[in-house]
Amino acid sequence: MGVPESLAERMSMAEQHEYLRARFSRRTMIRGGAVTIGAVTGGVFVPGTAARAATRSAVPTQGAPRAEHVDGSLVAPFGRHLAFGNDPRTEVSVSWQVPVAVKKPFIRIGAHPQDLSRRIDAEVRTLFTPAGVGASGNHTQYYVHAKLTHLKPGRTYYYGVGHAGFDPAEPHLLGTLGTFTTAPAHKTPFTFTAFGDEGVGYHGLANNSLLLGQNPAFHLHAGDIAYADPAGQGRTADTGFDSRVWDQFLAQTESVAKSVPWMPAYGNHDMDAWYAPSGYGGEEARWSLPDNGPDKKNLPGVYSFVYGNTAVISLDANDVSFEIPANLGVSGGTQTKWLEAQLKKYRAAEDIDFIVVFFHHCAYCTSTAHASEGGVRQEWVPLFEKYTVDLVINGHNHQYERTDVIKAGKVTRKLPIGGTAYPESDGVVYVTAGAAGRSLYAFSAPQSYEGHENEVESVASFVNTKDGKQNETVAWSRVRYLDYSFLRVDVKPAPKGRHTTLTVRGIAATGEQVDHFTVARRAK
């Protein structure tokens, strides 16, 4: 995206953002026929917060390409995707995209397809990428969002999205309606799914189809979402950046995400230096996620929510990554402090049994590509063990791998396929589920999965540290599967004092089960 590689390697994400904004100055862009929306207001450069706020306006600023409104009846919304709000029992955000500027976007919701009388105005966040910033010159994207509140727990709602000239309540447009279901008010059995590293392509599409068949209450995406930045090194020298890939991705995932809340964490391929100093200006335009994290400005992908008896925490491992340090330390330690406060709160809560944490970079993995992240081990693993986290889900490495039960870097309990882990006494289980759709990586040890067990005493691997790669020989690699796959997790509550369970399954793109195990703890 325009920074010499030797220079970019020494620049943080915030420094790259300032470099690009200075290079693509108002004069340069006007000469080229484009000014980024939000970069120039009244002829004055607007950095940082003001620039990000300006991207939420659908009205182009001075010098930007004019948004030509067309007949709304000819414009169909696409790329619908849902997300929970801070309280999944009563709050859901509905987001979508339109290919051109439209007037007065809105959402209709109701208990029945024939009753969509509740109409709510929607917010447009316009994102403009000028020529020279990657491969998608002068491309404008229109993302639309509606936050729904005061919903009833455990209720299925019908909804339709529209704008002037396109009303989903019209009889001929009823086929465009979607549904969502809020979280229940009480503990009930439910299923959720998870994977990371999807991108755009056949394999991701196939995994989405299988996901829908699991009937999940929600889906966790462990980062590296669309791969609009194919390099993912936190450098702006990659000319392959293409914002249009997001249009393809949101269209690809709509079949699931229009009815299943799609809850992402952000990975190294999700940082775009052009839009904001944090690298997440583009993500802020595309997603409406819970805003209960520690730093909405720098870490918009950090949040938590509770569904039934399970608390889910999304973290941003770019903040602690030694391997790809473009955003290393961006939170100034606030994320780790927030994480401990959340873990302490959830572990003490009477109505919460399980804690699931998901993020991108792996704490424990033996891939020959990225392997393990020392920053995660240093900052977060001690907290996972202190508060007996029940399951940690990662991406980053494009394969399926599952550990034994680990504490202090050592195996405390071997966890064979079909086995049971007891985190209260034993430690934590880590699953790498990074085979959602991108090209696959490799293992240094033989594969070992359900029906094809191949146990080895140890595996040669490495961990990324602040001083570079450090070789290690590990005994905790239990299941290794090298093909496209995702996770299915079935949560089964139990009466107080009896064992409540998480049953975790690795599901291959063929539909076959490649791993399963149980996490059990006494219900509160």
Side-chain angles (χ1 to χ4, degrees):
M1 279 189 287
V3 178
E5 186 167 345
S6 59
L7 177 61
E9 288 175 347
R10 301 194 302 270
M11 298 171 75
S12 69
M13 188 60 60
E15 290 168 337
Q16 292 176 43
H17 171 76
E18 294 303 322
Y19 178 94
L20 284 171
R21 290 287 174 162
R23 179 181 176 188
F24 290 92
S25 64
R26 182 173 186 273
R27 179 179 178 183
T28 300
M29 287 186 288
I30 288 177
R31 186 167 60 243
V35 175
T36 180
I37 294 175
V40 178
T41 302
V44 179
F45 177 69
V46 183
T49 303
R52 285 193 301 276
T55 64
R56 293 177 180 264
S57 170
V59 181
T61 53
Q62 180 180 354
R66 263 186 135 15
E68 298 295 337
H69 290 279
V70 301
D71 183 349
S73 66
L74 304 177
V75 180
F78 72 99
R80 289 169 291 177
H81 51 288
L82 308 178
F84 288 133
N86 294 346
D87 184 351
R89 297 171 300 180
T90 61
E91 301 173 357
V92 169
S93 291
V94 181
S95 305
W96 64 98
Q97 207 173 344
V98 287
V100 296
V102 296
K103 295 179 180 179
K104 299 179 179 179
F106 62 89
I107 183 171
R108 289 188 181 275
I109 66 167
H112 305 284
Q114 293 77 27
D115 178 19
L116 297 175
S117 56
R118 186 179 176 187
R119 173 173 165 156
I120 301 167
D121 291 339
E123 169 198 12
V124 179
R125 303 176 193 172
T126 303
L127 202 63
F128 179 70
T129 310
V133 178
S136 55
N138 294 347
H139 184 55
T140 303
Q141 293 162 307
Y142 303 93
Y143 298 102
V144 193
H145 303 266
K147 291 188 177 182
L148 308 179
T149 60
H150 301 94
L151 302 171
K152 294 184 178 180
R155 181 72 62 85
T156 296
Y157 290 88
Y158 289 82
Y159 75 91
V161 299
H163 47 263
F166 188 100
D167 190 338
E170 294 292 330
H172 69 287
L173 293 177
L174 289 179
T176 68
L177 299 184
T179 63
F180 64 83
T181 302
T182 53
H186 307 290
K187 296 181 180 182
T188 58
F190 68 93
T191 297
F192 70 90
T193 53
F195 62 37
D197 305 80
E198 182 180 3
V200 176
Y202 171 77
H203 298 294
L205 185 63
N207 257 339
N208 289 343
S209 298
L210 280 174
L211 281 180
L212 194 58
Q214 313 303 310
N215 193 28
F218 56 87
H219 176 67
L220 306 180
H221 197 307
D224 282 4
I225 303 169
Y227 285 83
D229 172 15
Q233 295 297 308
R235 296 196 302 258
T236 54
D238 173 38
T239 57
F241 170 78
D242 191 340
S243 62
R244 296 168 299 184
V245 171
W246 279 102
D247 303 341
Q248 298 173 288
F249 176 83
L250 291 173
Q252 170 180 291
T253 57
E254 184 175 20
S255 63
V256 182
K258 70 179 181 181
S259 59
V260 177
W262 196 272
M263 310 300 295
Y266 295 149
N268 52 293
H269 285 273
D270 303 318
M271 298 183 289
D272 302 325
W274 166 252
Y275 302 112
S278 66
Y280 299 126
E283 308 303 355
E284 287 187 89
R286 299 176 185 109
W287 303 95
S288 283
L289 302 173
D291 60 2
N292 54 17
D295 186 350
K296 185 65 175 174
K297 174 183 175 182
N298 292 308
L299 299 172
V302 179
Y303 56 88
S304 66
F305 64 92
V306 175
Y307 192 103
N309 70 338
T310 302
V312 179
I313 300 175
S314 170
L315 299 177
D316 186 340
N318 291 316
D319 180 34
V320 299
S321 173
F322 292 134
E323 181 196 11
I324 303 172
N327 257 345
L328 178 61
V330 69
S331 77
T334 60
Q335 180 175 200
T336 299
K337 292 178 182 177
W338 174 86
L339 170 62
E340 180 160 23
Q342 294 296 106
L343 292 173
K344 184 177 182 180
K345 176 182 72 174
Y346 288 141
R347 191 48 75 210
E350 282 298 319
D351 56 344
I352 295 174
D353 297 314
F354 294 115
I355 300 176
V356 174
V357 182
F358 75 109
F359 52 92
H360 190 59
H361 300 65
C362 301
Y364 296 98
C365 185
T366 63
S367 164
T368 58
H370 302 295
S372 304
E373 174 55 66
V376 170
R377 291 188 187 179
Q378 174 181 297
E379 292 291 318
W380 298 341
V381 164
L383 296 178
F384 299 158
E385 295 175 355
K386 179 179 179 180
Y387 295 98
T388 63
V389 166
D390 299 284
L391 180 65
V392 176
I393 300 170
N394 300 128
H396 199 42
N397 289 288
H398 301 182
Q399 56 220 37
Y400 179 94
E401 186 169 16
R402 193 257 294 166
T403 71
D404 285 318
V405 189
I406 300 176
K407 183 179 287 187
K410 304 294 183 182
V411 175
T412 56
R413 176 192 289 268
K414 286 187 176 182
L415 187 59
I417 293 169
T420 300
Y422 300 91
E424 292 173 280
S425 57
D426 295 340
V428 184
V429 180
Y430 299 81
V431 179
T432 299
R438 292 293 283 190
S439 57
L440 299 168
Y441 291 167
F443 291 112
S444 60
Q447 294 188 65
S448 183
Y449 55 95
E450 192 159 334
H452 303 271
E453 288 85 357
N454 191 353
E455 184 171 353
V456 295
E457 291 185 3
S458 62
V459 177
S461 188
F462 65 90
V463 57
N464 294 285
T465 74
K466 61 182 178 181
D467 299 317
K469 293 182 179 180
Q470 177 180 315
N471 292 331
E472 61 179 8
T473 300
V474 306
W476 39 253
S477 178
R478 176 56 49 188
V479 178
R480 297 173 299 278
Y481 177 71
L482 194 58
D483 210 336
Y484 298 101
S485 57
F486 62 92
L487 279 188
R488 171 182 171 139
V489 182
D490 297 300
V491 183
K492 186 177 180 180
K496 185 176 181 178
R498 300 187 64 178
H499 278 105
T500 179
T501 58
L502 292 173
T503 301
V504 185
R505 307 177 192 277
I507 308 294
T510 60
E512 296 176 288
Q513 184 170 282
V514 297
D515 184 27
H516 75 283
F517 65 95
T518 299
V519 178
R521 67 164 58 237
R522 292 193 181 277
K524 294 179 182 177

